[in-house]
Amino acid sequence: MAGQGGPGSAGRAAGGRKMSLQRCETCSEEEAKYRCPRCMKYSCSLLCVKKHKLALSCNGIRDKTSFISVNEFTDLNLLSDYRFLEDVGRTADAAARDLSVHRPTTNKFINYLRNRARRHNINLKTLPIGFTKRRENSTIFNKKEQKFYWHLKLVFPHCHAEYTLKRVPEDKTLTDILKPYIDPVESDPVVCQRLKIYTMSPQSDVQILMKIENRKQNSIRYNELDASRSLLENLKNKVIIEYPTLFVVLKKLKKDMVVLGQDASESAEDLDSESSSLSSEEEGEIRESS
């Protein structure tokens, strides 16, 4: 039928005699024989069909999701919608059954990243599939260059701002990483305005911290990182869950963010015992190396 599945007849009278009320909309000379299922343009021949596709960038395939008013909705449209939903269901089911796009490949990639991180003395832990951090993590290891390109999150708590960086090379220093954000000269003007309290402060007052993982919920501590050293050097001998999150703070405003080794009231024995313990919630979320 016209408008369904392929070039349709414009109309035929009894006995096979062609009856057309339309002229070809491409050449405007011959009577129309076909109607495009997608754009509904009339054509008289294969040549005019090809010309109209080229001129209108039309693929000739009916749009199964195009809007149809209630007044024009027919049983054929209902049947078409039903078949479309069946096709969607079959495609979704096929994807769910295809093991190649699920855990085997994903686990192989994750294990490879963890093993490579271990060679750099980094304890990289990953969350189960479905967690936001697992889904958004873009960290890769470049085999040719033999180095990590990290997914990195920068948090500026005094301005309630967060920025996500993708594919940050491991040999880039923290100073260079922060330049586009808090450097008075090189930072982006819009970002600079938002982080004004940082750009107006002396660089000596800026402190880069990273939360120590695997501690009790009521005992959060941070490691201070060295801005002059590379990202890789700062991540060594530390636990990373999915990707690093760096907190950029001002020393005079950091308030309750306790830096490890700078809390005189906390004994070394307490630090050792707490750093080796996991809360039950963390044990349930973190996937250990296999």
Side-chain angles (χ1 to χ4, degrees), residues 209-271:
L209 307 178
M210 188 168 71
K211 190 172 75 170
I212 301 174
E213 305 292 353
N214 298 351
R215 291 180 65 90
K216 294 180 179 178
Q217 294 296 322
N218 61 350
S219 178
I220 298 176
R221 297 293 182 269
Y222 297 84
N223 274 319
E224 182 175 6
L225 306 183
D226 187 343
S228 65
R229 294 194 173 190
S230 68
L231 180 60
L232 177 63
E233 290 176 302
N234 278 288
L235 296 182
K236 285 185 176 181
N237 303 312
K238 294 181 178 64
V239 177
I240 308 295
I241 298 180
E242 289 293 347
Y243 54 80
T245 298
L246 308 186
F247 294 84
V248 185
V249 301
L250 299 176
K251 295 177 182 179
K252 60 185 178 182
L253 299 176
K254 68 180 181 181
K255 296 181 180 179
D256 298 331
M257 301 180 74
V258 181
V259 179
L260 189 67
Q262 296 182 10
D263 183 12
S265 64
E266 194 168 31
S267 68
E269 184 178 351
D270 291 336
L271 292 176

Side-chain angles (χ1 to χ4, degrees), residues 20-264:
S20 175
L21 302 178
Q22 297 285 343
R23 285 196 174 274
C24 175
E25 294 183 62
T26 301
C27 66
S28 301
E29 294 178 1
E30 301 293 330
E31 290 182 342
K33 297 178 182 179
Y34 311 105
R35 194 177 189 186
C36 178
R38 187 169 189 88
C39 63
M40 310 305 288
K41 296 289 185 182
Y42 287 98
S43 301
C44 65
S45 64
L46 179 60
L47 178 62
C48 284
V49 169
K50 291 181 177 179
K51 284 183 178 180
H52 110 267
K53 287 183 177 180
L54 184 62
L56 301 177
S57 298
C58 176
N59 59 16
I61 301 174
R62 182 174 62 86
D63 184 3
K64 297 180 182 180
T65 62
S66 61
F67 174 76
I68 301 176
S69 65
V70 176
N71 294 334
E72 298 176 349
F73 198 83
T74 65
D75 289 342
L76 277 177
N77 298 126
L78 179 61
L79 181 60
S80 175
D81 287 351
Y82 178 77
R83 288 176 175 170
F84 175 70
L85 293 175
E86 280 190 323
D87 290 341
V88 172
R90 279 193 293 268
T91 302
D93 183 64
R97 293 170 183 269
D98 187 359
L99 297 179
S100 65
V101 299
H102 291 294
R103 299 192 64 176
T105 302
T106 303
N107 279 343
K108 184 177 180 180
F109 171 72
I110 292 174
N111 289 335
Y112 178 76
L113 282 183
R114 286 200 296 244
N115 290 335
R116 283 293 176 175
R118 192 179 298 115
R119 294 184 184 184
H120 292 291
N121 296 321
I122 300 173
N123 188 357
L124 178 63
K125 296 178 180 289
T126 56
L127 298 169
I129 295 173
F131 279 78
T132 301
K133 290 190 71 173
R134 170 91 291 275
R135 185 171 60 252
E136 66 187 9
N137 191 0
S138 61
T139 300
I140 63 168
F141 183 83
N142 188 305
K143 292 182 180 179
K144 184 177 181 180
E145 299 178 16
Q146 287 294 299
K147 69 179 182 181
F148 273 96
Y149 284 83
W150 289 93
H151 185 102
L152 186 64
K153 180 175 287 187
L154 299 178
V155 180
F156 299 85
H158 307 313
C159 295
H160 304 286
E162 291 186 5
Y163 297 94
T164 298
L165 288 68
K166 295 185 178 181
R167 308 294 167 85
V168 180
E170 64 177 26
D171 53 1
K172 195 170 186 178
T173 65
L174 300 190
T175 298
D176 289 337
I177 292 173
L178 291 178
K179 275 184 179 179
Y181 299 91
I182 62 174
D183 188 277
V185 178
E186 298 187 30
S187 61
D188 179 270
V190 177
V191 176
C192 180
Q193 184 61 30
R194 185 178 183 185
L195 304 178
K196 192 173 182 179
I197 189 174
Y198 289 92
T199 56
M200 294 182 65
S201 300
Q203 292 299 307
S204 58
D205 196 32
V206 177
Q207 198 173 20
I208 306 172
L209 307 178
M210 188 168 71
K211 190 172 75 170
I212 301 174
E213 305 292 353
N214 298 351
R215 291 180 65 90
K216 294 180 179 178
Q217 294 296 322
N218 61 350
S219 178
I220 298 176
R221 297 293 182 269
Y222 297 84
N223 274 319
E224 182 175 6
L225 306 183
D226 187 343
S228 65
R229 294 194 173 190
S230 68
L231 180 60
L232 177 63
E233 290 176 302
N234 278 288
L235 296 182
K236 285 185 176 181
N237 303 312
K238 294 181 178 64
V239 177
I240 308 295
I241 298 180
E242 289 293 347
Y243 54 80
T245 298
L246 308 186
F247 294 84
V248 185
V249 301
L250 299 176
K251 295 177 182 179
K252 60 185 178 182
L253 299 176
K254 68 180 181 181
K255 296 181 180 179
D256 298 331
M257 301 180 74
V258 181
V259 179
L260 189 67
Q262 296 182 10
D263 183 12

